[in-house]
Amino acid sequence: MSGLRTVSASAGSGKSYDSIMKILLIGDSGVGKSCLLVRFVDDKFNPSFITTIGIDFKIKTVDINGKKIKLQLWDTAGQERFRTITTAYYRGAMGIILVYDVTDERTFANIRQWFKTVNEHANDDAQLLLVGNKSDMETRTVTLEQGETLAKELGIPFVESSAKNDDNVNEIFFTLAKLIQEKIDNDKLAGGTSGKDSSININSGGSGSKSGCC
Amino acid sequence: MDLRQVAVDQYESRESLIRRGVWKGDLYKTVDVNKGSRGWLWKTLVLDDDQEVKELMPVPILTEGSEDPTSAIVQSANRPRDNLIRRLTPVATKAHPLSQKQIGDMRDKGELEGQKVVEGDEDDEDGMSVSEKLEIIDLDLSRLMLDKIFQEPLVHARMKQIMYNFLMRKGASSPSSYKQGYHEILGIIFLQLDEARRNNEGGNNDNSNNNNDDDDGDAVMMNQVLCIFEKIMKQMVGVFYNETRLIKWDSDVFQPILNNSCPELYKLIYSNQHHHTNIIWLIRWTRLLFIRELPRDYTLIIWDHILTFTYPLDTLIACIIVTLLVNNYQNLMEKIEDHNDIVEFMLHYSLNSSSMIDCVELCKMSGNLCELWYLQDFTAMKLVADSFLKIRFNVENKTTPKAVKIDPNRKRLEDRLRKRVKQTLLTKETK
């Protein structure tokens, strides 16, 4: 099964979307994965967000070029390193966001571990994005340059964000959606996968800005 | 009415309190258990009369390079917590990622594909040091939102000390593995006993200024919290907090109970499922015992039943989940189209559930299913679910087998069960 696909709603099913993108957030406990999700989906922020137990997810449907794309955003407990369940969790993931905390070097160091997990379990087609969260904090220990360097080495895009100040949060998700859509389009051109609803206009619904993204 | 007084007046023994008060639901008709008296109820249900009060070990403050908790500096429960926390993935990368060989080069050489990722623990060893465990406990406790008291430094320190003692006792010489979720279970227990203690203090003004009595009371309460926590976790950790065993519980207990009770729902939820899809939602349902899925007061009544330890926890939890699913039969049948829908529905159950069965009735029906499961009376299990569906939703189950010659004893039992389900549901509806 391809990890990159759009799932069209069956005609007359009453579903309020045209296609789905499954996106995962991974990273150490306390880096702010749930806060990023809550900021993106509900536009709220709480500095002490409740611990994620096991797996949770949120849905955000974005209107893109007249089509509704349902972003299915999966969030994991940072402590969990699933064995068997990993296959279920990573299955069908079209985009994966690796999150670290810029105020905690250990979470940055562990990105490499998470990257290995992704390489082992996720589909080859899955699009990745590295995110350094909590960029508003003055107690930063990981520089922007370090984040950029690691992203370059991993061969994935990078963005720093602040769920607290709502900096670059939309960009994270829209950048990834764009990457996913580009992949779908390229595959279609190459006669590859069966992606149907292309043409995601990522400027719609977000700021369209790519500030902080390399 | 005061719960203690009612209990003393109406129930001659703990067994009677459990049977009539909790499982039959009499207690909830006469007393508002939520008003600070649940702590007393739980102590009565769980603790032995001659419960020994042991002094809790203080939490060590570990300096770098010192991981032996017995030789470390200790931190008393009254000392405010540090705010220096974070990280917390069981097995950390040893070196800085930027100092390593270029990942790109490794990928080009195909080295990444061959590397095995070190996974987390399955048993008691998680590869985390004591200080790392204490760090993650600190982090989780700082994010415990069950009540505002958990933001108080003293409460935080007490919770940490209880958790540390739990892990130490469980792990013999060194703390055993800590899993996220333990803290919420502990939090719920602490909250009930703390509320009961505060209420007790409020009505006991003579002693309220006596610091020694307060300290003794705190020590006793922390001991009691630990004891209740240990008893419940004894049944939970080995099943729900271990991924392999959770999967086994799903296939050996939960699925058969669901399949025998309501084959239509089983088919909907498990047919063509991808590998372990349902474990994704079952993790939280089982590990937190419904704290996140159901309203607090409702959940606490379920916990009252759980803490009677009338049925093994793994079976009772399976039966409660099955009953909740049957209670949402129509909703599930109408809304679910694929497995993503199921996961979405179950992870956001509180938003999606359109009908709530009375909590005591939920527990009664779950208890019935437990008993029938142990008797391996699958026909009666189906009958219980079918009767419920017929009465509640007027769903006529077409797959009910045609009448065959049934053993008269079995028929009597089935009739009795049918009658009991009908009576309880009708009683509820006429309220």
Side-chain angles (χ1 to χ4, degrees):
Chain A
M1 183 173 100
S2 170
L4 233 169
R5 66 196 173 102
T6 52
V7 182
S8 294
S10 54
S13 68
K15 295 239 177 183
S16 56
Y17 57 88
D18 300 307
S19 60
I20 298 175
M21 285 185 185
K22 178 178 176 180
I23 294 172
L24 314 183
L25 281 106
I26 56 175
D28 282 2
S29 197
V31 297
K33 299 181 294 294
S34 301
C35 286
L36 285 170
L37 265 192
V38 170
R39 171 60 82 185
F40 178 61
V41 176
D42 304 322
D43 197 20
K44 287 179 186 164
F45 176 76
N46 189 329
S48 297
F49 198 80
I50 196 165
T51 309
T52 304
I53 303 297
I55 296 167
D56 198 357
F57 80 54
K58 285 189 171 284
I59 299 283
K60 178 147 179 166
T61 303
V62 288
D63 197 335
I64 294 164
N65 280 357
K67 291 200 171 178
K68 291 194 188 320
I69 309 296
K70 180 171 161 178
L71 298 180
Q72 201 181 58
L73 306 159
W74 294 69
D75 184 16
T76 41
Q79 196 201 14
E80 295 287 358
R81 302 183 71 81
F82 304 115
R83 287 165 182 256
T84 319
I85 302 170
T86 311
T87 50
Y89 179 63
Y90 283 90
R91 184 188 311 106
M94 301 154 80
I96 299 173
I97 302 168
L98 298 99
V99 188
Y100 68 89
D101 172 359
V102 299
T103 71
D104 188 338
E105 204 170 5
R106 290 171 300 179
T107 67
F108 180 62
N110 281 337
I111 285 295
R112 192 164 174 194
Q113 196 72 30
W114 287 109
F115 187 77
K116 284 181 195 168
T117 308
V118 169
N119 265 283
E120 186 153 308
H121 297 289
N123 199 291
D124 292 341
D125 291 338
Q127 301 299 301
L128 309 185
L129 178 68
L130 179 65
V131 173
N133 193 34
K134 306 190 188 180
S135 62
D136 59 281
M137 301 280 280
E138 290 175 1
T139 52
R140 169 195 287 273
T141 57
V142 183
T143 65
L144 178 70
E145 291 70 33
Q146 284 177 303
E148 286 173 344
T149 309
L150 178 60
K152 200 173 283 180
E153 287 185 2
L154 298 175
I156 61 178
F158 168 67
V159 63
E160 274 198 353
S161 67
S162 163
K164 183 181 178 185
N165 292 352
D166 198 9
D167 289 338
N168 283 337
V169 176
N170 279 355
E171 280 71 10
I172 292 171
F173 296 96
F174 281 99
T175 298
L176 196 57
K178 182 187 178 187
L179 287 169
I180 293 166
Q181 195 56 49
E182 281 173 355
K183 177 71 182 167
I184 292 169
D185 293 342
N186 290 341
D187 284 351
K188 277 176 74 181
L189 282 174
T193 55
S194 59
K196 286 179 183 173
D197 305 300
S198 53
S199 69
I200 288 183
N201 175 4
I202 66 153
N203 293 322
S204 163
S207 66
S209 159
K210 290 175 100 182
S211 56
C213 182
C214 66
Chain B
M1 287 180 79
D2 179 53
L3 172 67
R4 263 184 261 200
Q5 196 57 51
V6 170
V8 170
D9 292 346
Q10 297 185 6
Y11 308 105
E12 62 277 10
S13 63
R14 179 154 66 181
E15 286 62 39
S16 167
L17 174 66
I18 288 172
R19 199 179 61 252
R20 292 194 292 119
V22 178
W23 281 95
K24 207 176 161 203
D26 289 351
L27 197 60
Y28 307 102
K29 292 172 193 161
T30 48
V31 184
D32 186 355
V33 184
N34 291 314
K35 288 193 174 158
S37 50
R38 180 161 266 118
W40 182 85
L41 176 66
W42 287 8
K43 282 190 280 183
T44 307
L45 292 175
V46 179
L47 302 179
D48 297 326
D49 294 336
D50 54 352
Q51 190 74 42
E52 190 186 347
V53 178
K54 291 178 189 165
E55 194 177 342
L56 297 187
M57 282 180 282
V59 179
I61 298 172
L62 297 166
T63 52
E64 204 164 330
S66 157
E67 286 295 339
D68 177 7
T70 55
S71 65
I73 309 163
V74 295
Q75 179 182 21
S76 81
N78 294 320
R79 184 185 165 121
R81 67 193 165 95
D82 291 333
N83 283 324
L84 298 171
I85 38 180
R86 211 104 341 118
R87 191 185 75 77
L88 310 172
T89 298
V91 180
T93 306
K94 293 275 188 274
H96 194 284
L98 297 182
S99 67
Q100 296 291 307
K101 193 178 176 187
Q102 298 267 314
I103 297 265
D105 291 348
M106 294 170 78
R107 190 162 41 196
D108 291 346
K109 292 174 185 174
E111 290 174 16
L112 277 176
E113 285 71 19
Q115 284 185 346
K116 278 284 168 204
V117 176
V118 182
E119 300 287 1
D121 72 302
E122 268 305 281
D123 294 304
D124 235 17
E125 190 43 60
D126 56 10
M128 289 174 82
S129 67
V130 179
S131 57
E132 282 173 338
K133 280 173 190 164
L134 291 175
E135 265 191 80
I136 197 163
I137 290 168
D138 255 332
L139 173 64
D140 286 345
L141 292 178
S142 69
R143 299 190 292 177
L144 189 54
M145 302 294 162
L146 295 169
D147 191 277
K148 60 179 186 303
I149 67 159
F150 294 110
Q151 302 312 308
E152 294 171 14
L154 186 59
V155 171
H156 181 107
R158 283 178 182 158
M159 288 279 291
K160 186 176 174 182
Q161 190 177 5
I162 298 169
M163 185 64 80
Y164 176 71
N165 275 264
F166 168 74
L167 298 179
M168 286 301 287
R169 285 202 209 178
K170 192 165 148 277
S173 59
S174 63
S176 61
S177 170
Y178 166 80
K179 291 278 184 74
Q180 289 180 318
Y182 286 14
H183 68 302
E184 292 202 33
I185 300 289
L186 179 62
I188 287 284
I189 299 167
F190 187 97
L191 198 56
Q192 306 314 311
L193 269 65
D194 184 64
E195 232 172 60
R197 180 168 148 65
R198 288 178 195 218
N199 279 0
N200 200 30
E201 278 176 0
N204 229 344
N205 291 332
D206 292 347
N207 293 333
S208 60
N209 294 324
N210 188 323
N211 287 337
N212 287 336
D213 284 355
D214 280 355
D215 289 345
D216 289 348
D218 289 340
V220 171
M221 190 202 84
M222 286 167 71
N223 251 282
Q224 291 169 333
V225 171
L226 175 59
C227 190
I228 296 172
F229 183 59
E230 276 181 328
K231 285 201 177 174
I232 197 165
M233 293 308 275
K234 194 175 175 186
Q235 294 198 39
M236 285 183 68
V237 172
V239 183
F240 302 138
Y241 280 92
N242 177 301
E243 189 187 313
T244 308
R245 289 182 210 147
L246 180 66
I247 290 166
K248 190 168 162 45
W249 168 85
D250 173 46
S251 63
D252 294 355
V253 182
F254 180 68
Q255 287 189 45
I257 291 176
L258 178 62
N259 192 16
N260 281 298
S261 306
C262 192
E264 299 77 21
L265 279 180
Y266 174 80
K267 199 174 160 193
L268 179 78
I269 294 172
Y270 279 94
S271 66
N272 303 318
Q273 75 144 344
H274 295 301
H275 210 47
H276 306 309
T277 303
N278 290 301
I279 295 289
I280 287 173
W281 60 267
L282 280 168
I283 291 173
R284 200 176 70 201
W285 276 68
T286 55
R287 289 186 180 180
L288 294 188
L289 298 179
F290 316 109
I291 297 172
R292 300 261 182 103
E293 338 300 334
L294 302 170
R296 176 74 60 82
D297 290 351
Y298 195 92
T299 307
L300 290 175
I301 294 176
I302 297 177
W303 278 49
D304 294 343
H305 289 75
I306 287 171
L307 290 173
T308 64
F309 297 109
T310 305
Y311 305 103
L313 197 56
D314 63 333
T315 317
L316 180 60
I317 296 304
C319 292
I320 291 173
I321 298 173
V322 166
T323 308
L324 287 167
L325 287 170
V326 173
N327 189 48
N328 273 279
Y329 180 90
Q330 282 192 319
N331 216 354
L332 286 162
M333 286 296 186
E334 283 166 13
K335 286 185 180 173
I336 302 303
E337 289 190 4
D338 56 34
H339 289 98
N340 279 333
D341 291 341
I342 293 166
V343 175
E344 187 179 341
F345 186 96
M346 298 307 284
L347 283 178
H348 299 152
Y349 184 84
S350 57
L351 298 173
N352 293 320
S353 173
S354 60
S355 73
M356 289 292 280
I357 178 177
D358 173 75
C359 193
V360 175
E361 301 312 324
L362 166 86
C363 294
K364 278 184 195 170
M365 182 164 155
S366 306
N368 282 343
L369 289 176
C370 276
E371 283 172 22
L372 296 169
W373 171 247
Y374 287 117
L375 293 169
Q376 297 286 287
D377 191 343
F378 307 130
T379 312
M381 287 174 78
K382 190 167 185 320
L383 208 63
V384 169
D386 284 351
S387 303
F388 180 87
L389 288 173
K390 171 71 183 157
I391 294 161
R392 196 161 179 85
F393 301 117
N394 200 26
V395 172
E396 197 72 63
N397 202 322
K398 290 171 188 168
T399 59
T400 305
K402 284 179 184 172
V404 289
K405 202 167 186 179
I406 301 174
D407 180 299
N409 289 328
R410 169 171 283 194
K411 188 166 186 325
R412 261 200 301 280
L413 175 68
E414 289 174 358
D415 287 343
R416 214 166 41 232
L417 277 166
R418 187 185 287 126
K419 200 174 164 186
R420 197 187 304 172
V421 171
K422 194 170 182 175
Q423 270 176 348
T424 52
L425 288 172
L426 288 175
T427 311
K428 171 64 189 157
E429 279 174 7
T430 52
K431 274 184 187 174

